[in-house]
Amino acid sequence: MARPSEFDRDEAIASAIRVFARHGYEAASTSDLIEGMGIGRQSLYGAFGDKRRLFLEALRRYSDGSLALMNEALAGGSPREAIEAALLVGLGDAEDLETGCLGVGSIVEFSRTDAEVNALNDAAATLVVAAFAARVKDGIAAGAFDPGLDPQAAGRMLLTLRSGLKVAARGGAGEDELRQAARLALRGLS
């Protein structure tokens, strides 16, 4: 009979996200993960199987959390205000490397070489584009955005911008600089 886990799985995954965000998948050693998660080697393998399974679970959890933050931001204010808020929420920063975007990091690290990572990132991207496209449609209906816009194309552009903003934040861009970039893009929707 298996022994019950002696750690909080949610906390362990949150800690693994930070380790993978700091180091990336390949460079995160088992020792880094054990230390960062505060669990033993046997617990890591018993609970998660291996480093790869842990990474996939961490990526899934990160993507779900990031989408929840975006959806919360998209729910408030005018379409323009909501999109700006969603572009800027949870970007991370250069001072805390553990706040980096696990999704963008995995795309850079794996490119299109891993089917499971691709599937997770593609599903997350589809949801982000749909969420942005819905608010773009709201903006068109309200007369705030160009009626000739393709909401799906605008949603893809906003996803690309958000990914770039995450990289810029990790590279040291400040809040004002990031907000200016978001606002410039939003002017293009008018």
Side-chain angles (χ1 to χ4, degrees):
M1 181 161 102
R3 288 184 358 189
S5 296
E6 297 177 11
F7 62 90
D8 182 302
R9 187 177 186 91
D10 288 336
E11 288 179 19
I13 293 293
S15 297
I17 289 169
R18 289 190 295 274
V19 172
F20 285 127
R22 173 178 282 280
H23 299 287
Y25 172 76
E26 195 62 42
S29 69
T30 302
S31 296
D32 292 331
L33 289 163
I34 289 168
E35 182 180 331
M37 295 168 70
I39 64 174
R41 184 177 301 274
Q42 190 171 8
S43 293
L44 185 141
Y45 290 116
F48 302 104
D50 59 20
K51 177 179 155 181
R52 178 176 166 65
R53 293 284 133 213
L54 173 60
F55 179 76
L56 292 171
E57 188 169 338
L59 180 58
R60 186 176 301 107
R61 177 81 55 87
Y62 176 85
S63 295
D64 290 347
S66 182
L67 185 61
L69 285 174
M70 278 192 52
N71 282 333
E72 185 177 322
L74 284 169
S78 71
R80 182 179 302 279
E81 292 165 340
I83 291 171
E84 180 180 327
L87 285 170
L88 298 172
V89 70
L91 295 180
D93 66 59
E95 299 302 315
D96 183 359
L97 295 181
E98 293 181 354
T99 64
C101 180
L102 198 56
V104 171
S106 70
I107 291 168
V108 170
E109 185 168 359
F110 288 95
S111 187
R112 297 297 291 178
T113 64
D114 187 296
E116 287 179 284
V117 171
N118 294 346
L120 289 171
N121 285 327
D122 291 349
T126 297
L127 293 172
V128 170
V129 168
F132 276 133
R135 285 314 311 247
V136 169
K137 286 179 190 175
D138 293 344
I140 292 169
F145 297 151
D146 180 347
L149 278 177
D150 174 345
Q152 285 297 115
R156 287 189 299 273
M157 182 274 296
L158 292 166
L159 168 63
T160 301
L161 175 60
R162 181 163 163 77
S163 298
L165 290 171
K166 287 183 174 195
V167 172
R170 179 97 182 225
E175 185 178 335
D176 288 341
E177 184 179 345
L178 298 168
R179 186 171 305 284
Q180 287 173 356
R183 287 182 175 168
L184 179 62
L186 285 168
R187 280 199 299 263
L189 299 179
S190 298

